[in-house]
Amino acid sequence: MKKINQYDIGIIFSIVGIIASIAVIILKLMSKDNVTVGIVLFIACVLSLLVNIKQKKENKSE
């Protein structure tokens, strides 16, 4: 069985954050509110995902 390390957990939480931010954007669009918070959350989660993937690849090469 494969062990889950901190990089895998970071990737999982980033993906959950992306899904949640998309839900926030959709809910804000439906209520005709400002979607800035959802967009900022989405960008932050995508950047976090990219960093986690990069760190996981660097950790594997060592």
Side-chain angles (χ1 to χ4, degrees):
M1 183 190 289
K2 181 184 172 191
K3 288 188 175 185
I4 296 177
N5 59 21
Q6 67 268 23
Y7 306 111
D8 295 330
I9 293 172
I11 290 170
I12 291 168
F13 278 115
S14 295
I15 292 171
V16 169
I18 290 171
I19 294 168
S21 65
I22 290 171
V24 167
I25 291 170
I26 291 171
L27 291 173
K28 293 285 187 176
L29 284 174
M30 290 173 68
S31 64
K32 296 186 181 7
D33 283 339
N34 193 353
V35 295
T36 305
V37 173
I39 293 171
V40 170
L41 180 64
F42 179 77
I43 292 170
C45 290
V46 168
L47 292 176
S48 175
L49 179 64
L50 294 175
V51 168
N52 284 319
I53 290 172
K54 181 180 177 204
Q55 287 179 343
K56 185 175 180 177
K57 285 182 182 178
E58 288 176 357
N59 189 30
K60 274 190 173 180
S61 64
E62 293 178 354

